């Protein structure tokens, strides 16, 4: 029995090494280049390899945390906005598309991210309804009214994640793609530069957004238009 247990442990260790070995060769990729095959982890700890042959893929690498205790509120909004757009357009079904959000953390952070939805939505609401109306807060309000115009709710007691959230626990994919940072704008915390890849059925990148400038992040409506034109 002991021998069988040792063999099982060795097998699982080798399997795990083989699964993630491919992430060692991930390098930055641009539009028209072939996206590397990457292995990520879902909330149940299962390994997911993307992109799938013969299917279109959209990978949304969100920033993640702004500080050790605060998650990016725009990322939460982005998630809900894209879920709403997909329900309306059936984008995933019409274009045989896998759509996934990716974070540079262990899967154990999923519940923490879910629990942070109300706080993020409250932050956005505060931006749109500032208590102190200064020139700066009113300018930011004007931007937020235009780009975060919808008021979403999220039931953390009965959470439903319509789009899968995947994790890059050792940051090999994020580092390989040159997305991963540990400092941004004075905040020291593991995070990714917000990046979106739209990949066609041949595995080639057809669209890439990559920026630390919040004001240019494409909204769901724009992404739908891009997919309809390119795929």
């Amino acid at each position: 029995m002991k021998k069988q247990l040792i063999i099982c442990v060795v097998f699982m260790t080798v399997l795990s090494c083989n699964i993630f070995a491919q992430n060692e060769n991930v390098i930055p990729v641009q539009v028209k280049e072939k996206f590397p095959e990457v292995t990520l982890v879902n909330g149940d700890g299962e390994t997911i390899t993307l992109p799938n042959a013969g299917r279109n893929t959209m990978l949304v690498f969100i920033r993640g945390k702004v500080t050790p205790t605060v998650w990016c509120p725009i990322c939460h909004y982005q998630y809900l906005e894209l879920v709403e757009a997909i329900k309306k357009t059936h984008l995933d079904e019409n274009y045989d598309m896998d759509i996934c959000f990716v974070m540079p953390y262990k899967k154990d952070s999923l519940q923490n991210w879910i629990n942070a939805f109300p706080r993020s939505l409250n932050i956005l609401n505060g931006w749109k309804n500032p208590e102190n109306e200064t020139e700066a807060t009113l300018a930011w309000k004007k931007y937020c009214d235009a780009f975060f115009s919808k008021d979403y709710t999220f039931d953390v007691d009965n959470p439903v994640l319509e789009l899968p959230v995947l994790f890059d626990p050792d940051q090999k994919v994020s580092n390989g793609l040159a997305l991963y940072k540990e400092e941004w704008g004075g905040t020291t915390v593991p995070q990714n530069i917000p990046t979106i890849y739209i990949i066609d059925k041949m595995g080639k990148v057809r669209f890439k957004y990559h920026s630390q400038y919040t004001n240019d992040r494409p909204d769901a409506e724009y992404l739908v238009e891009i997919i309809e034109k390119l795929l």
Side-chain angles (χ1 to χ4, degrees):
M1 181 67 180
K2 184 177 181 180
K3 183 178 180 180
Q4 290 176 332
L5 179 60
I6 293 173
I7 291 174
C8 181
V9 171
V10 171
F11 173 76
M12 292 304 294
T13 301
V14 172
L15 180 61
S16 177
C17 290
N18 288 337
I19 286 172
F20 289 97
Q22 62 184 329
N23 290 342
E24 301 285 352
N25 301 317
V26 177
I27 61 174
V29 60
Q30 307 303 327
V31 172
K32 296 185 179 180
E33 294 181 341
K34 191 173 180 63
F35 193 86
E37 186 177 81
V38 300
T39 299
L40 301 161
V41 179
N42 67 15
D44 294 323
E46 301 167 333
T47 54
I48 308 295
T49 300
L50 293 168
N52 285 313
R55 287 184 62 81
N56 295 306
T57 306
M58 178 157 65
L59 295 178
V60 183
F61 287 80
I62 62 174
R63 179 177 182 177
K65 291 186 175 181
V66 178
T67 74
T69 59
V70 178
W71 290 86
C72 170
I74 297 175
C75 298
H76 278 116
Y77 183 93
Q78 183 182 22
Y79 183 89
L80 295 176
E81 183 186 46
L82 194 53
V83 165
E84 181 184 48
I86 291 169
K87 285 182 177 179
K88 288 181 178 179
T89 63
H90 303 287
L91 196 68
D92 51 344
E93 298 174 4
N94 293 339
Y95 288 89
D96 298 323
M97 175 172 282
D98 296 318
I99 303 173
C100 304
F101 279 64
V102 184
M103 288 192 276
Y105 310 121
K106 296 180 179 178
K107 68 178 183 63
D108 298 345
S109 61
L110 178 59
Q111 189 59 53
N112 187 277
W113 184 71
I114 289 173
N115 292 341
F117 264 95
R119 182 180 185 181
S120 288
L121 296 176
N122 283 336
I123 289 173
L124 287 168
N125 185 60
W127 289 345
K128 292 188 287 186
N129 300 279
E131 292 183 2
N132 300 314
E133 294 188 349
T134 65
E135 184 176 350
T137 60
L138 289 176
W140 183 238
K141 167 184 166 55
K142 183 178 180 181
Y143 169 79
C144 292
D145 285 340
F147 288 89
F148 313 124
S149 59
K150 299 175 182 177
D151 294 317
Y152 292 112
T153 60
F154 188 86
D155 186 359
V156 295
D157 294 324
N158 298 287
V160 177
L161 295 180
E162 304 283 352
L163 292 173
V165 179
L166 304 180
F167 299 89
D168 179 21
D170 52 12
Q171 294 88 45
K172 286 185 178 178
V173 174
S174 301
N175 260 319
L177 293 171
L179 313 183
Y180 183 69
K181 296 178 69 68
E182 293 185 344
E183 188 279 332
W184 177 353
T187 64
T188 304
V189 61
Q191 55 198 297
N192 271 338
I193 299 173
T195 306
I196 300 172
Y197 298 95
I198 297 176
I199 306 158
D200 67 19
K201 294 181 179 181
M202 301 301 292
K204 287 189 176 182
V205 177
R206 300 297 304 278
F207 171 87
K208 178 181 178 180
Y209 162 83
H210 175 74
S211 177
Q212 289 177 267
Y213 185 59
T214 300
N215 295 21
D216 65 4
R217 196 173 304 188
D219 61 17
E221 183 178 346
Y222 180 80
L223 291 174
V224 170
E225 291 178 3
I226 288 295
I227 290 168
E228 290 175 344
K229 290 178 180 179
L230 294 179
L231 300 180

